Amino acid sequence: MEISNGGIDNTGSIITIKGMLSLLMQSVDDEKNEKKVISLAMGDPTVHSCFHTTHVATEAVAEALLSEKFNGYAPTAGLPLTRRAIAEYLSRDLPYKLTPNDVFVTSGCTQAIDVAMALLSRPGANILLPRPGFPIYELSAAFRHIEVRHFDLLPDKGWEVDLDDIESLADQNTVALVIINPGNPCGNVYSYQHLQKIAETANKLKTLVIADEVYGHLVFGDKLFVPMGVFGSTVPILTLGSLSKRWIVPGWRLGWFVTTDPCGMFRKPKVVERMKKYFDILGGPATFIQAAVPSILQQPDEVFFKKTLNLLKQSVDICYNKIKEIPCISCPHKPEGSMAVMLKLNLSLLDDIIDDIDFCFKLAKEESVIILPGTAVGLKNWLRVTFAVDPYSLEECLDRIKSFYQRHAKQLQRY
Ligand SMILES: *Cc1c(COP(=O)(O)O)cnc(C)c1O
C-alpha cells in the first residue's frame, strides 16, 4: 500500500533532527565506553535540572485542573480568555493592539508552522526558507507540496538574511518568507533596522512574512528583541510562538498562530472563514493548559526569566571560550539569543574525517557526545550545538571534543 500523493512525495529525502539524533545515539559504543552520554543536540533543556520552569506556571496549571472547570472542549481556535491573554502579551511590544480574534491557539509552535503551511498551500506555491534553518519547515512544506527555495543567512554579518538572495528567489508564486528571530540554529538576534529591511523587501515582492518567535525575549547579548510584528503595517505578518522555550515547558504543547496585521488583510471574511474551518480539524491543545495561560502571561516572573538568561549567557561564554582551544572548530558569531549556535568545522586539520556527519558519528562512538551535523539544518561541514545544558556537562563535553580532536588531528609533516 502506498500512502503518498501520486508518486510526487518528496518527504523521504528530508532528515528530521529527531531522526538524525536517534541514528547518532545508536552509534554510541556502550560496551567499550564507560563515559556517560551527553547530548549537545537536543532542543529540550528540561533534561537538565537547572532549566526548570517557574512555580507560577505549574501552579496556574494545577489550579486550572483542580477547578474542574476546564474538562470540556474549548472552541477550536482557543479559549477566549487564552486568546485575549496572548493578544495582550504580544501587544506590549507592538505599536498597535492585537485583538483576541487575531490569535489562534495551537499545539506548540510546531503546529503553528504546519497551520501556516496548510493555509498558504496552493498549486505552484513556493516558500522562502532560511539556510541554515529549522527542518520542520521543509518537512511541512513537502507534505503540502509547497516548493522550498532557500536563502542564505550570512555568518560574517551576524547571520543576517541575504536580502539579494530573497529578491532573486521570489516570484509571483512566492507565498511567504520565513524569519526565525531570535534564531535557531544560529543564536542570532536581528536589529530593528535589519527587520525593517526584511519587511520592506517582502512588501516590494508582495509576499507575507512568517515570523517564528518561539525564542522571543530569550536574548542575553547587546541587542534587544524586536518582534517582527512592529512592521505589520509595512507587510502582513504571521507571528508564531509558544510557551515552550521562554517558560521551559516544551511538553505542555501550548503555542500560538497570530495575524500581526493592522491593515487587516487576514480579516477578510473569506480568509477568516477558511482559518476557522482549518482549526476545526485540529481541535486545539488541552483545555486546562489553555486556561492557565492568562495567569502565566499576566504575572511575568522576572526572577525566573533573569535566572534563565544568566544560565544561557554563562553556557555561551563557556562554549565560546572552550572552542578556542579546539583548532578544527570555530564560531563565526557569538550567540546573542536562543539556545543554539552554529560552529564551523575545518576538515583540513583532521586526518580521517570525511565530513560533518562522519565527525558526529565518530564523536558519538568514541566520546559518547552527541552533536547535530550541520547537514541536518542545511549547512554541510558545520555543527549545530545546543548550549541549554548545565555548565558542568557542557565543559565536560567540550573537553571530550578536544581530546577527540587531538586523536584525529592531522600530523604535521616532518622535514
Ligand atoms: C522549538 C522550536 C519550534 C517548536 O516549538 P514547540 O512549541 O516546541 O512546538 C519551532 N521553531 C523553532 C525555531 C524552534 O526552535
Side-chain angles (χ1 to χ4, degrees), residues 107-110 113 134 180 184 212 214-215 242 244-245 250 253:
S107 178
C109 186
T110 304
I113 294 170
F134 188 65
I180 304 173
N184 179 9
D212 182 328
V214 76
Y215 290 101
S242 74
S244 304
K245 309 289 163 75
R253 312 309 304 132

Side-chain angles (χ1 to χ4, degrees), residues 328-343:
C328 66
I329 295 176
S330 60
C331 178
H333 184 75
K334 190 174 176 180
E336 304 165 276
S338 94
M339 298 177 175
V341 60
M342 290 298 285
L343 304 174

Side-chain angles (χ1 to χ4, degrees), residues 282-308:
L282 304 177
T287 309
F288 69 94
I289 303 275
Q290 295 195 45
V293 168
S295 301
I296 295 171
L297 296 183
Q298 284 156 14
Q299 310 170 53
D301 181 348
E302 296 298 341
V303 174
F304 160 70
F305 290 152
K306 207 164 212 156
K307 187 179 148 235
T308 309

